[in-house]
Amino acid sequence: MSNTDDPASPSPTIAKPALMSIDDAHGLDAAQVRELAAAHMNPGQITTLKLLGFDRVVVERAEGMYYTDRSGRRILDFFGAFGALAFGHNHPRILAARATFAAEHRHELAIAFLSQYAATLSCNLARIAPGDLDMVFLCVSGSEAVEAAMKVAERAAGPKRSTICYAQNSFHGKTRGALSVTDSDFYRADFRLLDNVSRVPFGDADALEQAFRADPGIGVFIAETIQGGAGVVLPPPGYLRDVRRLCDQYGVLWIADEVQCGYGRTGRFFAFEHEDVVPDVVTLAKSLGGGKTALGAFIARTPVYMKAYGSPKSALIHGPATFSGMGEACVTGIEALHVLYDEKLIDNAAEQGSYLLDRLRALQAKYPTLIADVRGQGLMVGLELADLSRVLPRGTRAVAAKFDDRLKGGLAGVVGALLLEEHGILVAFTEYNRNVIRLEPPLIVTRAEIDTLVDALDSILDRGFTRIALDYVRKVKAKRG
Ligand SMILES: Cc1ncc(COP(=O)(O)O)c(C=O)c1O
């Protein structure tokens, strides 16, 4: 008998578990956050954060170029969430667009009905993208954009050309398809991945041509326009034009992964525009969501898209997914693009980027032993510090190797930790070369903020390696909780 038949019996209820509230979250201190993360998230990650001293920070607010922690200390953000914060934190115009959208109770999920917001964002991206890069697929992350781009290109290339060629030292994401073209034994970790892939050196047009000639099954080539995870590595001038020419000659479709280097960061909206070429598919994510929402996309040339999914029969093969074009995400993306141009942030990326590179090169001239290289374009900059084995006396190299291994990139990690501890400046490192400090600040960064960073680096490097290491041990390691 159901209890609706018996008005006297109480309706069964599911007891609410002891859930933590938003207020509980606000009230957690650093030790409590660490404890919860260790118990329920990724305990191993905390070890690395501890080495850097990053585990002691609980962020209270974030605005523009700055985080503010619980104690009221401001932290200048030169990390920029791997390039996902073109607008800095909580840009007021982007916040306002989101608030209005929510207040007006607009519709979110574009599953039953088409979304005017997804259509508008797609139209804007097509208007920005050169050539006939006109067909947009919206999703929620860089990895998903790469997955979708690989699939659209593979279908357009056809079953006889389904081999996907990728570049050495690439990073395209950690989902299974993206991982299959990501050149890292560490991340691949013996997973069973796609076998229709082949690898070529990055930036080497002759090697690319050899690969195309040797294997007519190659129908797709994917590469980051500037390699991020590899340590901010630019291809030699002319390479992208060669890629376009070779892809045309051998009938290969070119996917430019601009998840990290795109969206204005290099001083053009797309980094490939520096060479006046147009790929067949381009991926975007990170700052596309205005720093407020998870948003990714691919933009494909119309003939490529139509070949893959153009008919009513093939239209649903890849999309729409449940979250292809959430209303609030698309409105965020639309407003963000307006802010990008209204505030001339792409121009600022070019101008401040070249100032940052100039100042870092001057620093390299001052500390040639400690700084191995400075490279980048716009506000995608890598500062490569020397291997510990180069800066330490012979007798101490075994210790250095141990230190290097634990910190996964000795000197850069130590300098990064001191930048935060002493100067309240946040930087990050690149995936495969941990000796590279990755500088991808918001595109709103000013010359004065760049001076603050470079002066802080100067004051640390000026101590010489031994004192840097001692200061690290004294100030960062000693405080480990
Ligand atoms: C070039 C490139 N492609 C893809 C990805 C994956 O993006 P996501 O972390 O949003 O999945 C990244 C992430 O850093 C990236 O740099």
Side-chain angles (χ1 to χ4, degrees):
M1 186 175 76
S2 83
N3 56 303
T4 46
D5 298 336
D6 176 5
S9 87
S11 48
T13 55
I14 309 270
K16 186 177 181 184
L19 302 178
M20 293 178 69
S21 66
I22 297 172
D23 283 342
D24 291 337
H26 285 320
L28 295 173
D29 65 22
Q32 290 168 320
V33 176
R34 234 175 5 239
E35 204 176 298
L36 290 181
H40 304 295
M41 295 176 73
N42 187 338
Q45 187 200 10
I46 294 170
T47 310
T48 314
L49 293 179
K50 271 187 180 173
L51 283 166
L52 293 166
F54 288 9
D55 65 313
R56 296 197 300 269
V57 177
V58 178
V59 174
E60 189 76 29
R61 291 178 68 79
E63 274 155 329
M65 285 291 296
Y66 291 89
Y67 292 99
T68 307
D69 77 4
R70 266 298 149 71
S71 66
R73 184 188 196 207
R74 281 175 18 120
I75 297 169
L76 180 58
D77 187 3
F78 266 86
F79 163 45
F82 296 122
L85 286 166
F87 305 95
H89 299 268
N90 289 311
H91 191 288
R93 266 182 66 179
I94 297 172
L95 290 186
R98 288 168 66 81
T100 305
F101 184 86
E104 290 171 349
H105 291 207
R106 303 286 182 178
H107 81 117
E108 282 286 6
L109 288 165
I111 292 288
F113 308 109
L114 286 174
S115 158
Q116 57 272 53
Y117 314 109
T120 301
L121 177 60
S122 300
C123 165
N124 287 350
L125 287 171
R127 286 182 182 176
I128 289 167
D132 58 352
L133 283 168
D134 282 336
M135 300 301 286
V136 177
F137 170 80
L138 296 171
C139 55
V140 295
S141 73
S143 299
E144 197 189 348
V146 168
E147 296 282 341
M150 286 167 67
K151 284 179 72 181
V152 76
E154 184 178 331
R155 260 189 73 79
K160 293 197 177 119
R161 307 286 309 272
S162 65
T163 299
I164 302 177
C165 185
Y166 67 97
Q168 259 168 17
N169 290 325
S170 57
F171 183 86
H172 295 291
K174 294 181 184 170
T175 52
R176 208 172 283 262
L179 191 57
S180 302
V181 292
T182 285
D183 187 26
S184 158
D185 289 342
F186 176 72
Y187 292 140
R188 293 165 85 102
D190 300 325
F191 290 114
R192 225 169 124 185
L193 302 173
L194 299 179
D195 55 13
N196 56 328
V197 294
S198 74
R199 187 180 62 172
V200 289
F202 179 68
D204 182 339
D206 292 341
L208 190 65
E209 176 154 28
Q210 266 175 33
F212 287 176
R213 202 179 293 146
D215 182 358
I218 294 176
V220 180
F221 173 59
I222 181 166
E224 297 151 86
T225 311
I226 295 176
Q227 290 192 319
V232 186
V233 177
L234 282 80
Y239 175 68
L240 299 179
R241 277 197 293 276
D242 286 336
V243 169
R244 183 66 277 170
R245 177 178 56 77
L246 292 170
C247 284
D248 287 343
Q249 190 178 333
Y250 290 88
V252 173
L253 297 174
W254 169 25
I255 302 172
D257 182 352
E258 299 233 353
V259 164
Q260 193 164 147
C261 63
Y263 207 86
R265 180 149 297 277
T266 67
R268 302 293 296 267
F269 189 90
F270 296 105
F272 59 71
E273 290 177 282
H274 290 286
E275 287 208 7
D276 234 349
V277 286
V278 183
D280 296 292
V281 186
V282 58
T283 55
L284 288 172
K286 297 197 188 278
S287 292
L288 187 61
K292 287 308 291 179
T293 191
L295 194 57
F298 79 59
I299 313 171
R301 294 182 49 232
T302 303
V304 171
Y305 188 89
M306 295 309 282
K307 204 160 166 201
Y309 306 129
S311 71
K313 247 172 125 179
S314 60
L316 300 185
I317 289 176
H318 192 91
T322 311
F323 298 131
S324 294
M326 293 279 289
E328 196 170 316
C330 291
V331 162
T332 309
I334 294 166
E335 186 66 1
L337 286 171
H338 280 273
V339 175
L340 186 72
Y341 288 97
D342 291 347
E343 296 193 358
K344 304 199 181 324
L345 296 183
I346 304 180
D347 295 332
N348 196 52
E351 187 186 328
Q352 304 306 341
S354 79
Y355 180 66
L356 174 60
L357 282 165
D358 285 351
R359 281 224 55 195
L360 291 176
R361 286 189 179 124
L363 213 58
Q364 185 188 13
K366 192 170 171 191
Y367 305 108
T369 322
L370 293 177
I371 298 182
D373 196 19
V374 172
R375 50 183 181 261
Q377 188 158 32
L379 288 171
M380 182 165 180
V381 170
L383 172 69
E384 182 163 2
L385 297 183
D387 280 344
L388 286 184
S389 55
R390 281 200 56 214
V391 291
L392 277 178
R394 267 174 204 287
T396 55
R397 285 189 184 162
V399 185
K402 219 169 149 192
F403 197 60
D404 231 350
D405 185 51
R406 293 229 33 212
L407 214 56
K408 308 260 184 306
L411 192 51
V414 169
V415 170
L418 287 176
L419 277 173
L420 182 64
E421 178 65 27
E422 295 181 352
H423 300 273
I425 298 174
L426 180 66
V427 296
F429 317 96
T430 58
E431 277 93 352
Y432 308 152
N433 187 343
R434 307 297 283 187
N435 247 340
V436 176
I437 293 184
R438 181 197 314 237
L439 301 168
E440 295 183 2
L443 309 188
I444 57 170
V445 70
T446 62
R447 185 176 265 247
E449 285 150 350
I450 289 171
D451 287 339
T452 302
L453 167 77
V454 181
D455 293 346
L457 278 165
D458 195 358
S459 92
I460 293 171
L461 296 176
D462 194 49
R463 295 166 208 174
F465 175 73
T466 311
R467 257 206 60 208
I468 293 174
L470 286 174
D471 282 351
Y472 166 75
V473 171
R474 197 163 48 85
K475 295 185 180 175
V476 181
K477 260 181 104 181
K479 283 198 188 167
R480 271 206 244 155

